[in-house]
Amino acid sequence: MFKIGIIGATGYVGTEIIRLLVQHPDIEIGAVVSKSFTGRSYPEIYPNFRNLFEETLLDMDPDLLCEKADLFVTALPHDAAKDIIPALIKRGRKVIDHSAAFRFRDKNVYETWYKTTHGMEDLLKKAVYGIPELYRKKIAGSDLVGNPGCYPTCAILGVAPLLRNKLVCLDSIIINAASGISGAGRKSDLPYSFCELDENYKAYGVAGHRHTPEIEQELSALAGENVVISFTPHLIPMKRGLLCTSYLDLKDTNWTSESLYEVYREFYRNEFFVRVLEPGTLPETKNVSGSNFIDVSVNYDSRTNRAIVVSALDNLGKGAAGQAVQCMNLMLGIDEKTGLTYPAYYL
Amino acid sequence: MFKIGIIGATGYVGTEIIRLLVQHPDIEIGAVVSKSFTGRSYPEIYPNFRNLFEETLLDMDPDLLCEKADLFVTALPHDAAKDIIPALIKRGRKVIDHSAAFRFRDKNVYETWYKTTHGMEDLLKKAVYGIPELYRKKIAGSDLVGNPGCYPTCAILGVAPLLRNKLVCLDSIIINAASGISGAGRKSDLPYSFCELDENYKAYGVAGHRHTPEIEQELSALAGENVVISFTPHLIPMKRGLLCTSYLDLKDTNWTSESLYEVYREFYRNEFFVRVLEPGTLPETKNVSGSNFIDVSVNYDSRTNRAIVVSALDNLGKGAAGQAVQCMNLMLGIDEKTGLTYPAYYL
Amino acid sequence: MFKIGIIGATGYVGTEIIRLLVQHPDIEIGAVVSKSFTGRSYPEIYPNFRNLFEETLLDMDPDLLCEKADLFVTALPHDAAKDIIPALIKRGRKVIDHSAAFRFRDKNVYETWYKTTHGMEDLLKKAVYGIPELYRKKIAGSDLVGNPGCYPTCAILGVAPLLRNKLVCLDSIIINAASGISGAGRKSDLPYSFCELDENYKAYGVAGHRHTPEIEQELSALAGENVVISFTPHLIPMKRGLLCTSYLDLKDTNWTSESLYEVYREFYRNEFFVRVLEPGTLPETKNVSGSNFIDVSVNYDSRTNRAIVVSALDNLGKGAAGQAVQCMNLMLGIDEKTGLTYPAYYL
Amino acid sequence: MFKIGIIGATGYVGTEIIRLLVQHPDIEIGAVVSKSFTGRSYPEIYPNFRNLFEETLLDMDPDLLCEKADLFVTALPHDAAKDIIPALIKRGRKVIDHSAAFRFRDKNVYETWYKTTHGMEDLLKKAVYGIPELYRKKIAGSDLVGNPGCYPTCAILGVAPLLRNKLVCLDSIIINAASGISGAGRKSDLPYSFCELDENYKAYGVAGHRHTPEIEQELSALAGENVVISFTPHLIPMKRGLLCTSYLDLKDTNWTSESLYEVYREFYRNEFFVRVLEPGTLPETKNVSGSNFIDVSVNYDSRTNRAIVVSALDNLGKGAAGQAVQCMNLMLGIDEKTGLTYPAYYL
């Protein structure tokens, strides 16, 4: 049994990781940390865990924590990472960080878009971007993984086959996305109150959302050339689920939805968690919410010679906690699928 | 007092028109028609009208109907228009048709995309596309108006200033859209049941939705050249509200959100129902649902030199019934805003 | 044209009153007051009012306000009433207060349940409980009306015929109720955030909700004897709408749903806003939300000899703002129905 | 490994059972049956199962089915049970039936309320009511279990301690309940379409819902005397979750919420799936939805000397599929909690 610590255990990503780990056959939760709720038992904050997981929330004490776990997931606000991650790494522990701090190769990009100083540049060198389908070996051999943003995972895995195979123009990619509200975190701000969001739909972060450079970094890596995109997220009046609709100009013209499907099928041939849908079938978030799957459908728009890719995942699942557990399994040397073979709830 | 007849009075568009007209100071509802519910009183189908509007639903009898009203709104399935509209026009009545039959100038486009024969070509010549902000004079002088589709109204009014002013490339326009479920009509099919749609989000009609040629027709008219677009609609788990996010490549490079805003402000200077939002403010469907307003925000994406337009309206309001009443007022020669100056519900 | 001032104009009740009054033919909004947003224009807080109502929010200055309006609706937190209402009454203005301060005849009941001192006892003597169907003449002749709570209006009007006609036992009445979230007001507390309330249902205020004594006061007045009830509210994951299910033991045994219906039909014979449904038809909140109607259905449970009453209204409509406008019309001496003859949205 | 067959595999209860069983360590799904979808693979109907469970749906062939499984869960419309259950029992298989046919001891009660003839009276004698907390030993030794209705399980377990301990009057019990829409099953009727149910709340089955006699049967068994209740269900605009609020007159008067809590704690001392909440804490459906737990809170209403019990479960979980798996474990002789130790989703 491996022991895992979750730091930032009372945010939505934190509680979703705990929900997955309490049923993980090879993992025991060694420590749960929350500065806001130190000393409280976990079900006091999340009553759904009564009778199942009743540990006391601990304070941020690196020495104490390192006695209790070998690998930590940190799900803290972006600047709080600096307070704890170096201390854990120094003590020889592995870390999966859910903030944006370790997602970027170039710290200047992070500092520009997140309007803060990185402060952990030496660690940045050893960090690996946490999408197993792209960086499996590196993740398995790493001590520090930057858990990707939810929108980026959905967008990147959605278009990766087209970019790596150099099938599309790189200067006209448009990614439109929408997510359930839990992606914003456990907030008490008025704009996130029920009456302000129910039966409402809106765009946000137009022409400037922080996930843009993260998506561009990975698409550029896939393509081998610089990629600049337009990315627009939207908020859906539901709790979880995320869907991207991506538009890419194809270089050649003799495509069909079937031939594009073959490219995707081949690219994701061995990937259990990436389900490539047959032409004519489109993803729906209810088919992935509560699971670690991402459903992808590539469609040929003959009138404009575009590939229109629709990809859907659970922003809390494959978009955050599920992917963290997937990386965790790799880093611990166990089967990547362990503890993740749940179907989406559908209902 | 003018007398209006609503044919197809028990669909969602029909009942929304009635909801607007029962409070219209210059209009009396002369007849409500439903083949499915002939003989029933209206509140038997829509109990919210008890004590307010309790007329009996009539059968489709043109002579009887023409005694009761001078202008008719037909909100019927696409092929049912043929059964009644020619009869009404022949008897000298005015018609606003909510089907797609009179939205297209070229009947071949209609027949190709709607997989049916038009059957009313001679009437097609006199039909006017029902967006007052673009065709005000023609609508006012017409006896036959094709009420636009909900997505098209939102998309067209969203990007019109850019096209008419010839500021954008015409071969790279992408329009991503999402709508509440009432846009699909009053359906009992399993895919529209509550449990299949609640907490779910999905794309549909990818690379082939029937609103595509309608949007292209109007964008081409605005630009004076042929326009081909990619258009993808999505379903939101809410009842009403519709939002488009449109991406257009600008020809010149020295734009800002403020300068684009000035173009929009000028273009819509006198348009009461088109609210151009200041830079930094984005539309939300709750600000328009239940009203006849469309909110528009144009944003400059400096990294890609694109204009990203976000436009939102109520698919049942400015997207259908509200716009029908707006055209109705013009055709009756009364103030265009009559009976339409309601704020959105917000709650 | 009468001039009305709304104090507490940016809460949910305040904005709903404004939504109703902007279309009221005999009323002009003379002043809107908000201490939190003084100096801002109304659409900055509620963008749905752009182009329709763009007044500047004023501070709480009694002299200035009394120049601008003759009647005020105060929709403030419970203790803020003391700061302004006496000043308005002293200057000869009429007031409809939405707090609980003027709902109770016995100030001790108010002070016990609301854990505060009343502070305006002399005004309490002249206050009238604001349900027109019960106190029409008194409201019309009053300068100070206590606008009832949403649950109380729904419960009281639901069971009034049975109590006034002395048909039921008074010691076994149970009222179970549920409401949409807007009833809690415009809140930013975590328990009211979207993710904490969506797809969730719960009871609250069990055996101690503050609306209990208010309901008991009116049921006792109707019955002519003291009534003690159990009342339990619940929160529904929707924005607006409220429904009560009330259980009352009948004294006699030879009832049917039809004979109980006759009692209700007679009792509410002339009441436009109370719609008594025929046996076999039950209320649904969608039939009342967005309107000033309350739908009532009385059902006979032969197995237990009980009357089970289901009543539904819009917590923001007949449960708050709509009823305030109804009282306002009476106090201004105009037709009670003015500005309130809107059907519920249904969609 | 035990082999289970699910007959009626494509209804909502059926798919929820499959969702639970695909992760059950001791159970293998041997057969899934659907007459509507015979020959289709399961993910064609429920795409969330792609890559996880892809079996072909079989026809209703008892001989073939009995080769594939030893225990069957039948989740069919009420009269379809007759077509298959006797054949399975005859062949020596165990059955958990989700219809109402085997919930009643007195077949006349079933036939009266369900307006049908039982047709399997001899089997009725051996059937056991499937609430393990009440009938554990009998279930373990039975071949035929009638899976209770969702409302009955919630109500019965909610009030059982008060009845068995003879603490309450038996002629004044009132049970008010509300459920998410999945409780109605996978329906394509108009009243269950999204737009007809979203943002809507209503009562149904007033004074005559078929779950009434089922609840009365069990409460009478607990009390040792005949119990007659009023039971009113309501529909909540959400997919899953069910909550009962029950009112019971206490015989004695010297109670408090704490002393009632002690009664409940003792009664459910060893029951893992029944979580008795401390005074001051109330159930919320989000804390149980997706799990097999039922949360119960007993509250003392001193003003009326009543116990007000609030109990919440997942209508698909402990209210149907979860409880079926719990009974299944008992009938198979394995740990009752196997495959059921999941926390509710919360998000």
Side-chain angles (χ1 to χ4, degrees):
Chain A
M1 281 300 249
F2 297 96
K3 295 198 172 199
I4 304 297
I6 296 107
I7 302 178
T10 55
Y12 285 154
V13 173
T15 198
E16 185 68 4
I17 290 174
I18 292 171
R19 195 182 69 78
L20 294 174
L21 293 185
V22 290
Q23 294 296 316
H24 194 297
D26 301 330
I27 282 172
E28 205 180 290
I29 299 174
V32 281
V33 178
S34 163
K35 293 184 93 162
S36 316
F37 298 107
T38 305
R40 308 278 288 276
S41 79
Y42 201 71
E44 287 185 62
I45 317 305
Y46 285 97
N48 51 318
F49 283 93
R50 278 181 79 122
N51 286 15
L52 294 173
F53 181 76
E54 305 192 313
E55 297 305 308
T56 303
L57 288 152
L58 306 173
D59 202 355
M60 197 97 82
D61 177 346
D63 289 317
L64 174 66
L65 294 177
C66 289
E67 290 175 23
K68 293 176 172 294
D70 300 304
L71 185 150
F72 291 86
V73 180
T74 47
L76 299 163
H78 285 119
D79 282 325
K82 280 181 273 210
D83 297 334
I84 187 70
I85 294 177
L88 297 171
I89 296 287
K90 199 164 76 165
R91 289 163 176 71
R93 300 299 183 265
K94 303 190 193 220
V95 172
I96 298 172
D97 177 44
H98 187 65
S99 83
F102 296 102
R103 298 178 190 167
F104 295 92
R105 293 190 191 92
D106 180 346
K107 80 160 179 128
N108 295 320
V109 175
Y110 172 70
E111 292 187 339
T112 303
W113 284 84
Y114 286 82
K115 301 186 186 346
T116 183
T117 51
H118 196 283
M120 296 178 283
E121 291 85 343
D122 42 318
L123 290 184
L124 190 53
K125 298 191 209 75
K126 53 194 306 198
V128 177
Y129 192 68
I131 293 186
E133 288 76 12
L134 300 179
Y135 299 113
R136 184 163 280 116
K137 284 208 173 76
K138 287 189 177 179
I139 293 167
S142 176
D143 290 340
L144 177 57
V145 165
N147 206 27
C150 48
Y151 286 119
T153 297
C154 192
I156 293 163
L157 287 177
V159 304
L162 297 173
L163 268 76
R164 190 168 276 164
N165 285 296
K166 301 186 183 300
L167 302 178
V168 293
C169 305
L170 303 181
D171 61 352
S172 57
I173 297 174
I174 284 169
I175 299 178
N176 202 87
S179 173
I181 313 292
S182 61
R186 196 176 207 211
K187 281 186 155 56
S188 64
D189 305 340
L190 181 65
Y192 292 94
S193 69
F194 184 89
C195 289
E196 298 292 321
L197 286 178
D198 185 46
E199 297 291 295
N200 186 30
Y201 185 81
K202 62 185 179 181
Y204 66 102
V206 176
H209 192 273
R210 298 190 306 197
H211 282 170
T212 308
E214 190 180 329
I215 300 170
E216 289 176 347
Q217 168 182 283
E218 293 308 310
L219 297 199
S220 301
L222 284 160
E225 293 177 56
N226 194 44
V227 176
V228 177
I229 66 170
S230 285
F231 166 69
T232 313
H234 300 70
L235 270 188
I236 309 165
M238 64 188 194
K239 285 193 288 187
R240 61 200 294 169
L242 188 156
L243 185 143
C244 287
T245 308
S246 307
Y247 302 82
L248 309 92
D249 292 328
L250 290 155
K251 291 179 183 171
D252 294 334
T253 55
N254 56 341
W255 288 102
T256 61
S257 290
E258 287 72 21
S259 56
L260 286 169
Y261 167 67
E262 286 303 322
V263 171
Y264 272 66
R265 222 167 59 129
E266 175 59 26
F267 190 91
Y268 287 120
R269 191 173 66 251
N270 295 318
E271 292 298 351
F272 177 77
F273 290 114
V274 183
R275 301 188 298 204
V276 178
L277 307 184
E278 299 78 22
T281 311
L282 290 166
E284 301 191 30
T285 60
K286 72 182 177 189
N287 292 333
V288 289
S289 283
S291 83
N292 193 48
F293 291 100
I294 172 173
D295 285 351
V296 182
S297 161
V298 61
N299 305 270
Y300 180 61
D301 184 359
S302 58
R303 305 169 76 253
T304 60
N305 198 47
R306 280 190 187 112
I308 301 178
V309 180
V310 182
S311 48
L313 47 66
D314 177 353
N315 58 289
L316 290 175
K318 181 59 172 163
Q323 183 144 257
V325 174
Q326 197 182 345
C327 288
M328 192 184 298
N329 289 335
L330 284 171
M331 294 163 80
L332 297 173
I334 59 182
D335 187 313
E336 190 177 331
K337 302 202 294 289
T338 317
L340 292 170
T341 52
Y342 299 112
Y345 319 140
Y346 197 90
L347 294 165
Chain B
M1 281 300 248
F2 298 96
K3 294 198 173 198
I4 305 298
I6 297 107
I7 302 178
T10 56
Y12 286 154
V13 173
T15 198
E16 185 69 4
I17 290 175
I18 292 170
R19 195 182 71 77
L20 293 174
L21 292 185
V22 290
Q23 294 296 314
H24 195 297
D26 301 331
I27 282 173
E28 202 180 292
I29 298 175
V32 282
V33 178
S34 163
K35 293 185 94 162
S36 316
F37 298 106
T38 305
R40 308 277 288 276
S41 80
Y42 202 71
E44 286 184 62
I45 316 304
Y46 285 97
N48 52 316
F49 283 93
R50 276 180 81 121
N51 287 14
L52 293 173
F53 180 77
E54 304 192 314
E55 296 305 308
T56 303
L57 288 152
L58 305 173
D59 202 355
M60 197 100 82
D61 176 347
D63 289 316
L64 174 67
L65 294 177
C66 288
E67 290 175 21
K68 294 176 172 291
D70 300 306
L71 186 150
F72 291 86
V73 180
T74 47
L76 299 165
H78 285 120
D79 282 326
K82 278 182 273 211
D83 296 335
I84 187 70
I85 294 177
L88 298 170
I89 297 286
K90 199 165 76 167
R91 288 163 176 71
R93 298 299 183 265
K94 303 189 192 216
V95 172
I96 298 172
D97 177 45
H98 187 67
S99 85
F102 295 103
R103 299 178 189 166
F104 295 92
R105 292 190 192 93
D106 180 345
K107 81 160 177 127
N108 295 318
V109 175
Y110 172 70
E111 292 186 339
T112 302
W113 284 83
Y114 286 81
K115 302 187 183 352
T116 183
T117 51
H118 195 283
M120 297 178 282
E121 292 85 343
D122 42 318
L123 290 184
L124 189 53
K125 296 189 209 76
K126 52 193 307 197
V128 178
Y129 192 67
I131 293 185
E133 288 76 13
L134 300 179
Y135 299 112
R136 184 163 281 115
K137 285 209 173 74
K138 287 188 176 179
I139 292 167
S142 176
D143 290 340
L144 177 57
V145 165
N147 205 27
C150 48
Y151 285 119
T153 297
C154 192
I156 293 163
L157 287 176
V159 303
L162 298 173
L163 268 77
R164 190 167 276 165
N165 285 295
K166 300 187 183 300
L167 302 176
V168 291
C169 305
L170 302 181
D171 61 354
S172 56
I173 297 174
I174 284 168
I175 299 178
N176 203 86
S179 172
I181 313 292
S182 61
R186 195 176 208 211
K187 280 184 156 58
S188 65
D189 305 344
L190 181 64
Y192 293 94
S193 69
F194 184 90
C195 289
E196 297 292 320
L197 285 178
D198 185 47
E199 298 290 298
N200 187 30
Y201 185 81
K202 61 184 179 181
Y204 65 102
V206 175
H209 191 273
R210 296 190 308 195
H211 282 170
T212 308
E214 190 180 330
I215 301 171
E216 289 176 346
Q217 168 181 282
E218 293 308 310
L219 297 199
S220 301
L222 284 159
E225 292 177 56
N226 194 44
V227 175
V228 178
I229 66 169
S230 284
F231 166 70
T232 312
H234 301 69
L235 270 189
I236 309 165
M238 64 188 194
K239 284 192 289 187
R240 60 200 296 171
L242 188 155
L243 186 143
C244 286
T245 308
S246 305
Y247 303 82
L248 308 94
D249 292 328
L250 291 155
K251 291 178 183 172
D252 293 333
T253 55
N254 57 342
W255 288 102
T256 61
S257 290
E258 287 72 18
S259 56
L260 286 170
Y261 167 68
E262 287 303 321
V263 172
Y264 271 66
R265 223 166 60 126
E266 174 60 27
F267 190 91
Y268 287 120
R269 192 173 64 251
N270 295 318
E271 291 298 352
F272 177 78
F273 290 114
V274 183
R275 301 187 299 204
V276 179
L277 307 184
E278 299 79 21
T281 310
L282 290 166
E284 302 191 28
T285 61
K286 71 182 177 188
N287 293 333
V288 290
S289 284
S291 82
N292 193 48
F293 290 100
I294 173 173
D295 285 351
V296 183
S297 160
V298 60
N299 305 270
Y300 181 61
D301 184 0
S302 59
R303 305 170 76 253
T304 60
N305 198 46
R306 280 190 187 113
I308 300 179
V309 180
V310 182
S311 48
L313 48 65
D314 178 352
N315 58 289
L316 290 176
K318 181 60 172 162
Q323 183 143 260
V325 174
Q326 197 183 345
C327 288
M328 193 183 296
N329 289 334
L330 284 171
M331 294 162 81
L332 296 173
I334 58 183
D335 186 313
E336 191 176 330
K337 301 202 294 288
T338 318
L340 292 170
T341 52
Y342 299 112
Y345 319 140
Y346 196 90
L347 292 166
Chain C
M1 282 301 249
F2 297 97
K3 294 199 175 200
I4 304 298
I6 297 108
I7 302 178
T10 56
Y12 285 155
V13 174
T15 198
E16 185 68 5
I17 290 174
I18 292 170
R19 194 181 71 78
L20 293 175
L21 292 184
V22 290
Q23 293 296 314
H24 195 296
D26 301 331
I27 282 173
E28 202 181 291
I29 299 175
V32 282
V33 178
S34 163
K35 292 184 94 163
S36 316
F37 298 105
T38 305
R40 306 277 289 276
S41 80
Y42 201 72
E44 286 184 63
I45 317 305
Y46 285 97
N48 51 317
F49 283 93
R50 278 181 78 122
N51 287 15
L52 294 172
F53 180 77
E54 304 193 315
E55 296 306 306
T56 303
L57 288 152
L58 305 174
D59 201 357
M60 197 98 82
D61 176 346
D63 289 317
L64 174 66
L65 294 178
C66 289
E67 290 176 22
K68 293 175 172 294
D70 298 307
L71 185 152
F72 292 86
V73 180
T74 47
L76 298 164
H78 284 119
D79 282 325
K82 280 182 272 211
D83 297 335
I84 187 68
I85 292 176
L88 298 171
I89 295 288
K90 198 164 79 165
R91 289 162 177 71
R93 300 298 183 267
K94 302 188 192 217
V95 173
I96 298 172
D97 176 45
H98 187 66
S99 85
F102 295 102
R103 298 178 190 166
F104 294 94
R105 293 190 191 89
D106 180 345
K107 79 159 179 133
N108 294 319
V109 175
Y110 172 70
E111 292 186 339
T112 303
W113 284 83
Y114 286 80
K115 302 187 187 341
T116 183
T117 52
H118 195 284
M120 297 179 283
E121 291 85 342
D122 43 317
L123 289 184
L124 190 53
K125 296 192 209 73
K126 53 194 307 199
V128 178
Y129 192 67
I131 293 186
E133 288 76 13
L134 301 179
Y135 299 112
R136 184 163 281 115
K137 284 208 173 74
K138 287 189 176 179
I139 292 167
S142 176
D143 291 339
L144 177 57
V145 165
N147 205 27
C150 48
Y151 285 120
T153 296
C154 192
I156 293 163
L157 288 176
V159 304
L162 297 173
L163 269 76
R164 189 168 276 164
N165 284 295
K166 300 187 182 299
L167 301 177
V168 292
C169 305
L170 303 181
D171 61 353
S172 56
I173 297 174
I174 284 169
I175 299 178
N176 201 88
S179 173
I181 314 291
S182 61
R186 196 177 207 210
K187 281 186 154 58
S188 65
D189 305 342
L190 181 65
Y192 293 94
S193 69
F194 183 90
C195 289
E196 297 293 321
L197 286 178
D198 185 48
E199 294 294 294
N200 188 30
Y201 185 81
K202 61 184 179 182
Y204 64 103
V206 175
H209 192 272
R210 299 190 306 196
H211 282 171
T212 308
E214 191 180 330
I215 300 171
E216 289 176 346
Q217 168 181 285
E218 294 308 309
L219 297 198
S220 301
L222 284 159
E225 291 178 56
N226 194 44
V227 176
V228 177
I229 66 170
S230 284
F231 165 71
T232 312
H234 300 69
L235 270 188
I236 309 165
M238 64 189 194
K239 285 193 288 187
R240 62 198 296 168
L242 188 155
L243 185 144
C244 287
T245 308
S246 306
Y247 302 82
L248 308 93
D249 291 329
L250 291 155
K251 290 178 182 171
D252 294 335
T253 54
N254 56 341
W255 289 102
T256 61
S257 290
E258 287 71 19
S259 55
L260 286 170
Y261 167 68
E262 286 303 322
V263 171
Y264 272 66
R265 226 172 49 135
E266 174 61 26
F267 189 91
Y268 287 121
R269 191 173 65 250
N270 296 319
E271 292 298 352
F272 176 78
F273 290 114
V274 182
R275 301 187 301 203
V276 180
L277 307 184
E278 299 79 21
T281 309
L282 290 166
E284 301 190 29
T285 60
K286 72 182 176 187
N287 292 333
V288 290
S289 283
S291 83
N292 194 47
F293 291 101
I294 172 171
D295 285 350
V296 182
S297 160
V298 60
N299 305 271
Y300 180 61
D301 184 359
S302 59
R303 305 170 76 254
T304 60
N305 198 47
R306 281 190 186 112
I308 300 179
V309 181
V310 183
S311 47
L313 46 66
D314 177 353
N315 58 290
L316 290 176
K318 181 60 171 164
Q323 182 144 257
V325 174
Q326 196 181 347
C327 288
M328 192 184 298
N329 288 336
L330 284 170
M331 294 162 81
L332 297 174
I334 59 182
D335 186 315
E336 190 176 331
K337 302 202 293 289
T338 317
L340 292 170
T341 51
Y342 299 113
Y345 318 142
Y346 196 90
L347 293 166
Chain D
M1 280 300 247
F2 297 96
K3 294 199 174 197
I4 304 299
I6 297 106
I7 302 179
T10 55
Y12 285 156
V13 174
T15 198
E16 185 68 4
I17 290 175
I18 291 170
R19 196 181 69 78
L20 293 174
L21 292 185
V22 289
Q23 294 296 314
H24 195 297
D26 301 331
I27 282 173
E28 200 181 293
I29 299 174
V32 282
V33 179
S34 163
K35 292 184 95 162
S36 317
F37 298 105
T38 305
R40 307 278 287 277
S41 80
Y42 201 72
E44 287 184 62
I45 317 304
Y46 285 98
N48 51 317
F49 283 93
R50 274 181 82 121
N51 286 15
L52 294 172
F53 181 76
E54 303 192 316
E55 296 305 307
T56 303
L57 288 152
L58 305 173
D59 202 354
M60 197 99 81
D61 176 347
D63 289 317
L64 174 66
L65 294 177
C66 290
E67 291 175 21
K68 292 175 173 296
D70 299 305
L71 185 151
F72 291 85
V73 180
T74 47
L76 299 164
H78 284 120
D79 283 326
K82 280 182 272 213
D83 297 336
I84 188 68
I85 293 177
L88 298 171
I89 296 287
K90 199 164 77 168
R91 288 161 176 73
R93 300 299 183 266
K94 302 189 193 217
V95 172
I96 298 172
D97 177 44
H98 188 66
S99 85
F102 295 103
R103 299 177 188 166
F104 294 93
R105 292 190 192 90
D106 180 344
K107 78 159 178 130
N108 295 319
V109 174
Y110 171 70
E111 292 186 339
T112 303
W113 286 82
Y114 287 81
K115 301 186 185 352
T116 183
T117 52
H118 196 284
M120 296 178 284
E121 291 85 345
D122 42 317
L123 290 184
L124 189 54
K125 296 191 209 72
K126 52 194 308 200
V128 179
Y129 193 68
I131 293 185
E133 288 76 13
L134 300 179
Y135 299 112
R136 184 163 282 114
K137 284 207 173 75
K138 287 190 178 179
I139 293 166
S142 175
D143 291 337
L144 177 57
V145 165
N147 207 28
C150 48
Y151 286 119
T153 297
C154 193
I156 293 163
L157 287 177
V159 304
L162 297 172
L163 268 76
R164 190 168 275 164
N165 285 295
K166 300 185 183 300
L167 302 177
V168 294
C169 306
L170 302 181
D171 61 353
S172 56
I173 297 174
I174 284 167
I175 299 178
N176 202 87
S179 172
I181 314 292
S182 61
R186 195 177 208 211
K187 279 184 156 60
S188 64
D189 305 340
L190 181 64
Y192 293 94
S193 68
F194 183 90
C195 288
E196 297 293 319
L197 285 178
D198 185 46
E199 296 292 295
N200 186 30
Y201 185 81
K202 63 183 178 183
Y204 65 102
V206 175
H209 191 274
R210 299 190 306 196
H211 282 170
T212 308
E214 191 178 329
I215 300 171
E216 289 176 346
Q217 169 182 283
E218 293 307 310
L219 297 199
S220 302
L222 284 159
E225 291 177 57
N226 194 45
V227 176
V228 178
I229 66 170
S230 284
F231 165 71
T232 313
H234 301 68
L235 270 188
I236 310 166
M238 65 188 194
K239 284 194 288 186
R240 59 198 298 169
L242 187 156
L243 185 142
C244 287
T245 308
S246 306
Y247 302 82
L248 308 93
D249 291 329
L250 290 156
K251 291 179 183 171
D252 294 335
T253 54
N254 56 342
W255 289 101
T256 61
S257 290
E258 288 71 19
S259 55
L260 286 170
Y261 167 69
E262 286 304 321
V263 172
Y264 272 66
R265 225 169 55 132
E266 175 60 26
F267 190 91
Y268 287 120
R269 190 173 67 251
N270 296 318
E271 293 298 352
F272 177 78
F273 290 114
V274 183
R275 301 186 301 203
V276 179
L277 308 184
E278 298 81 20
T281 310
L282 290 165
E284 302 190 28
T285 59
K286 72 182 177 189
N287 292 333
V288 290
S289 283
S291 83
N292 193 48
F293 290 101
I294 172 172
D295 284 352
V296 182
S297 160
V298 60
N299 305 271
Y300 180 61
D301 184 359
S302 58
R303 306 170 76 252
T304 60
N305 198 47
R306 279 191 188 112
I308 301 178
V309 180
V310 182
S311 48
L313 46 65
D314 177 353
N315 58 291
L316 290 174
K318 181 60 171 164
Q323 183 143 257
V325 174
Q326 196 182 346
C327 289
M328 193 183 297
N329 288 335
L330 284 170
M331 294 162 81
L332 296 174
I334 58 182
D335 188 313
E336 191 176 330
K337 302 202 293 288
T338 318
L340 292 170
T341 52
Y342 299 111
Y345 318 142
Y346 197 89
L347 294 165

